[in-house]
């Protein structure tokens, strides 16, 4: 399956978004991101809004910087496969709720990409799940770093 991140990026025409709240949700396939997706989908349904799920793929694995042998093509194929699986599951869940939905799969930094997409779709809200990684207590989690930005209000869903 060929995956083209740029082709998957959904540009929503401005004339179709007037008055319709957009809710951006970060989705990475983890249990906490699916909790965030469920909360954001419920909020989109309550506000008669639309949901934009964002899956951010890293440019390279951290082990590649350490000089560890790395098969870039295999890693890229695995990321694209995971993106396709996440998109399929998200589409099914959004269809069950009957909410307008789009999926954005991009390479980059999670914070920058979520902020860019939130600005592109004029998001009223950005939703992410709480990180379960211990080292985020030292470096700062995605949710914490997003709350420091002024792109849109942020909700961090804690399961």
């Amino acid at each position: 399956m060929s995956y083209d991140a740029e082709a998957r990026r959904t540009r929503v025409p401005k004339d179709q978004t007037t008055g319709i709240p957009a809710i951006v949700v970060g989705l990475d396939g983890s249990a906490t991101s699916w909790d965030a997706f469920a909360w954001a989908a419920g909020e989109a349904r309550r506000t008669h809004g639309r949901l934009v799920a964002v899956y951010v793929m890293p440019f390279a694995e951290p082990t590649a910087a350490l000089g560890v042998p790395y098969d870039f093509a295999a890693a890229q194929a695995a990321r694209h496969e995971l993106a396709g699986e996440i998109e399929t599951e998200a589409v099914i869940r959004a269809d069950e709720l009957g909410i307008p939905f789009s999926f954005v799969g991009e390479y980059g930094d999670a914070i920058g990409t979520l902020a860019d997409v939130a600005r592109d779709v004029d998001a009223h809200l950005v939703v992410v799940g709480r990180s379960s990684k211990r080292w985020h207590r030292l470096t700062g989690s995605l949710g914490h770093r997003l709350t420091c930005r002024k792109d849109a209000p942020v909700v961090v869903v804690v399961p």
Side-chain angles (χ1 to χ4, degrees):
M1 174 168 117
S2 176
Y3 188 90
D4 182 9
E6 193 60 34
R8 297 281 179 134
R9 182 157 188 168
T10 305
R11 297 281 184 192
V12 182
K14 295 291 182 190
D15 59 337
Q16 292 182 3
T17 64
T18 306
I20 300 174
I23 298 172
V24 172
V25 60
L27 195 54
D28 65 4
S30 66
T32 56
S33 74
W34 285 114
D35 290 341
F37 180 89
W39 190 90
E43 188 66 17
R45 188 171 183 180
R46 283 187 292 279
T47 61
H48 304 287
R50 59 192 166 89
L51 187 61
V52 180
V54 180
Y55 174 67
V56 182
M57 297 172 277
F59 285 114
E61 294 295 322
T63 56
L66 300 173
V68 175
Y70 182 70
D71 184 358
F72 181 77
Q76 188 175 18
R79 280 194 288 266
H80 292 172
E81 183 178 334
L82 179 60
E85 291 171 7
I86 290 172
E87 181 179 14
T88 300
E89 181 65 25
V91 166
I92 291 169
R93 291 182 185 204
D95 283 346
E96 287 174 355
L97 293 172
I99 55 174
F101 175 76
S102 58
F103 183 85
V104 177
E106 293 232 351
Y107 285 97
D109 170 57
I111 294 168
T113 303
L114 282 168
D116 289 346
V117 171
R119 276 191 304 274
D120 287 350
V121 300
D122 193 26
H124 289 92
L125 189 62
V126 176
V127 181
V128 294
R130 183 184 77 171
S131 175
S132 60
K133 297 178 182 173
R134 290 181 188 243
W135 63 275
H136 281 169
R137 292 182 187 150
L138 298 173
T139 62
S141 67
L142 174 66
H144 174 73
R145 291 184 287 162
L146 276 172
T147 58
C148 296
R149 296 182 63 105
K150 306 291 186 234
D151 302 307
V154 176
V155 172
V156 180
V157 176
V158 179

